[in-house]
Amino acid sequence: MTHVVDLTEAAAFRIKEMMEHNEEQGAFLRVSVNGGGCSGLSYGMSFTHEKEAADREDLQHDIPIVVAEEDAPILMGTKIDYKQSLMGGGFTIDNPNAIANCGCGSSFRTVTKQGTPENC
């Protein structure tokens, strides 16, 4: 089975910590694409207890993941990791479909989806 997004072990560990800290055990991790950002599209990750009829559902590292059907082609093959450094930590997103990325790392565009770019 092909995953829309792939969570690394480090990302899954951090997401589980966040779920516990925010009392969101049993929630889905929603990975989404929104309009905006410097390049036109931006990534979203949130916890939700609602699964929509048009969502694709997956389970990785015991984390239930949902992605809207309309976002799936844009996110297909995306790798979500968590990196820790002396300056702190954060999620990194590597999307093979992105043809342009903003310096912030959370804004992008694809060949077929331009989004709604904003001024930075």
Side-chain angles (χ1 to χ4, degrees):
M1 176 181 168
T2 302
H3 302 293
V4 175
V5 297
D6 286 306
L7 291 182
T8 66
E9 222 173 291
F13 181 80
R14 182 65 181 127
I15 289 165
K16 287 179 185 177
E17 282 184 336
M18 293 171 75
M19 284 179 144
E20 188 172 319
H21 182 264
N22 294 311
E23 298 180 359
E24 293 284 0
Q25 296 93 327
F28 294 97
L29 171 67
R30 178 168 296 283
V31 182
S32 59
V33 174
N34 307 302
C38 304
S39 297
L41 299 170
S42 61
Y43 299 105
M45 290 195 318
S46 61
F47 298 124
T48 181
H49 292 272
E50 303 295 320
K51 179 181 175 287
E52 303 296 326
D55 282 341
R56 290 196 186 185
E57 187 176 346
D58 193 8
L59 182 68
Q60 293 180 43
H61 306 283
D62 295 322
I63 298 172
I65 304 166
V66 290
V67 175
E69 185 66 39
E70 66 185 23
D71 293 344
I74 300 167
L75 293 171
M76 187 60 71
T78 296
K79 179 180 170 184
I80 300 173
D81 196 5
Y82 186 82
K83 305 276 187 192
Q84 188 70 42
S85 72
L86 293 175
M87 299 297 288
F91 289 98
T92 62
I93 300 175
D94 181 19
N95 184 343
N97 304 304
I99 61 165
N101 293 296
C102 188
C104 63
S106 63
S107 182
F108 69 103
R109 74 171 180 256
T110 67
V111 170
T112 59
K113 192 88 167 165
Q114 300 299 311
T116 53
E118 300 170 350
N119 292 330
C120 290

